[in-house]
Amino acid sequence: MQSYGDFAAKHGLVLDDVGPCTFCGAVLDRSVNECMEIFELGFGGLNLTAPQDNVFRFFIVDAHALQHPELHGRWSSHFTWPAL
C-alpha cells in the first residue's frame, strides 16, 4: 500500500515540512504531515463502530479526501455523485 507521501511524489508534489497544511490551510507546525496525523487519530468522542453509523464515517473520510485530493486522488464523492 502506498503512503500519501508516495502518492504525492508520484504526481510531482513536494510536501512542506513546516507551516500550515499545504492543501486545506489548517494552521499547523508540520504542514500536511501533521494534518494527516490528526486525521488518523480518529473521530474524537464519536464511536463510529456500529454498522448504522457507517454513513457518518463515510462523510468524515470523504470530507478529508475532498480537502486533500492531491493526496487521495479522485477517491471522493465529488467526482462520483451527480450534481444536485
Side-chain angles (χ1 to χ4, degrees):
M1 183 171 172
Q2 78 179 347
S3 72
Y4 68 90
D6 295 336
F7 186 85
K10 178 178 159 184
H11 290 87
L13 297 170
V14 176
L15 301 180
D16 295 333
D17 290 329
V18 296
C21 178
T22 308
F23 306 109
C24 72
V27 180
L28 303 166
D29 294 328
R30 294 182 292 110
S31 191
V32 67
N33 299 304
E34 187 174 357
C35 198
M36 294 298 289
E37 288 173 13
I38 291 168
F39 178 75
E40 291 171 0
L41 287 174
F43 308 114
L46 297 175
N47 181 1
L48 301 177
T49 58
Q52 66 267 24
D53 293 333
N54 283 343
V55 68
F56 299 114
R57 184 178 348 180
F58 169 80
F59 284 124
I60 290 169
V61 171
D62 195 51
H64 189 266
L66 285 168
Q67 291 176 319
H68 301 82
E70 301 86 351
L71 302 179
H72 297 288
R74 295 178 60 140
W75 293 100
S76 70
S77 64
H78 174 73
F79 297 105
T80 58
W81 289 8
L84 299 176

